[in-house]
Amino acid sequence: MKMMKIAAVFIFSVLAVTPSLPAQAADTYPAKPITVVVPFPPGGPTDIVARIVSQSLSKQLGQTIVIDNKPGASSVIGAGHVARAAADGYTLLFNYSGHVINPYLKSNLPFDPIKDFVPVAGLASTPQMLVVAPGNKAGSVEELVSQAKSAGKKLTFASSSIGAPSHLAGELFNQLTSLHILHVPYRGSAPALTDLIGGQVDMMFDSAPSSINFVRSHKLKALGVTSKHRSEVTPELPTMEESGLKGFDITTWYGVWAPANTPTDIVAHINQAINNALAEPDVRAKLLQEGADPMGGTQQAFAAFCKTESDRYGAIVKAAQISPQS
């Protein structure tokens, strides 16, 4: 009987202590270097944003941040690595909006982008720019729509790949204008822009960091941006909605995710550190220089944003009848 009482006291003590463990972990976090997984090669937009923010984030958290580039399969390889990592805040995913689009484009994802991750914070967003060759007579989105409707030949729009934001922006353009502009996919923005400049295709939606220098050097002509509000980078360009396409809102955005079940206190700590980093004038200036508008905000707001974006892109993919690829 005495032994049973001792066992009961021991069990009660364990149960009483267990709930406090995550809070204790958060109190000492971070106690060692943090690994940031970027699922793309060095030098790309996601990597650039990650490095700009990570430099300040390291100071905010008081720990070294190691960037680990794990490219492949449209970010699936790197994201999968983070999904399998320990949920302790020491392995984070810095990815782009394709993370919430992949379920509609990939038939065999080895993880669930919603259930297997905790959204931590938004970093920055870059609008797509609607660009045409400088010789195109259209001087506005409205004029391009009129041109497409009266063209003797079917117009074409380029994209960096099937299912990329540039592709989905073109499909949304078709849906909202009742046009049937032909999609021409490429392997990356660079060859697509080359053919656009050369006149092999008629138009393209492309991320601002990728095409803005061509616009500034007058090799391309920009007609508008796809974000809900005008971009701080190109405030002179109207939004697609201002140009008559109600509900047109597509951006390429970047964010941070942690493995599912990461303690909420640790997630909140990282979120606050990211917001502090984004508030620094130097970080903000560097992001704007790259054509990216800083985001920030609460963890809860970013989680809701991810869900809304996933649903919205899913509707575009379904309406465009884009089949998932293996």
Side-chain angles (χ1 to χ4, degrees), residues 1-207:
M1 188 68 178
K2 184 177 180 181
M3 291 298 294
M4 291 179 64
K5 288 183 178 180
I6 294 174
V9 170
F10 175 76
I11 293 170
F12 176 80
S13 300
V14 171
L15 292 174
V17 171
T18 300
S20 66
L21 290 178
Q24 292 174 359
D27 289 341
T28 59
Y29 176 87
K32 62 181 181 179
I34 299 164
T35 297
V36 162
V37 175
V38 176
F40 293 98
T46 306
D47 181 73
I48 291 172
V49 171
R51 291 177 189 277
I52 290 173
V53 177
S54 292
Q55 187 172 6
S56 175
L57 187 60
S58 176
K59 293 187 295 182
Q60 296 291 337
L61 293 173
Q63 278 291 345
T64 300
I65 291 182
V66 179
I67 294 183
D68 185 7
N69 295 93
K70 291 186 178 296
S74 299
S75 83
V76 172
I77 291 177
H81 175 82
V82 176
R84 297 186 298 271
D88 55 9
Y90 290 101
T91 304
L92 303 174
L93 174 68
F94 277 42
N95 204 355
Y96 86 120
S97 45
H99 183 67
V100 302
I101 307 173
N102 274 336
Y104 306 104
L105 302 173
K106 303 285 184 181
S107 59
N108 56 352
L109 274 182
F111 54 81
D112 187 315
I114 303 297
K115 296 179 180 179
D116 294 335
F117 295 86
V118 177
V120 177
L123 297 177
S125 66
T126 60
Q128 301 283 310
M129 297 174 65
L130 174 54
V131 289
V132 297
N136 193 305
K137 294 181 180 180
S140 66
V141 175
E142 296 92 333
E143 290 179 4
L144 182 65
V145 172
S146 296
Q147 182 187 102
K149 290 183 177 179
S150 62
K153 69 178 184 71
K154 178 174 284 190
L155 298 186
T156 55
F157 78 90
S159 80
S160 58
S161 66
I162 294 175
S166 55
H167 175 199
L168 300 184
E171 295 293 352
L172 183 58
F173 185 81
N174 274 339
Q175 293 166 22
L176 295 179
T177 58
S178 299
L179 291 169
H180 300 284
I181 301 175
L182 181 65
H183 174 224
V184 182
Y186 287 78
R187 291 189 175 183
S189 292
L193 290 170
T194 297
D195 275 7
L196 178 60
I197 293 170
Q200 278 72 46
V201 286
D202 297 299
M203 56 179 279
M204 180 178 180
F205 289 93
D206 189 42
S207 64

Side-chain angles (χ1 to χ4, degrees), residues 201-220:
V201 286
D202 297 299
M203 56 179 279
M204 180 178 180
F205 289 93
D206 189 42
S207 64
S210 175
S211 56
I212 194 166
N213 286 332
F214 291 110
V215 173
R216 288 170 176 165
S217 62
H218 305 292
K219 292 182 179 179
L220 287 174

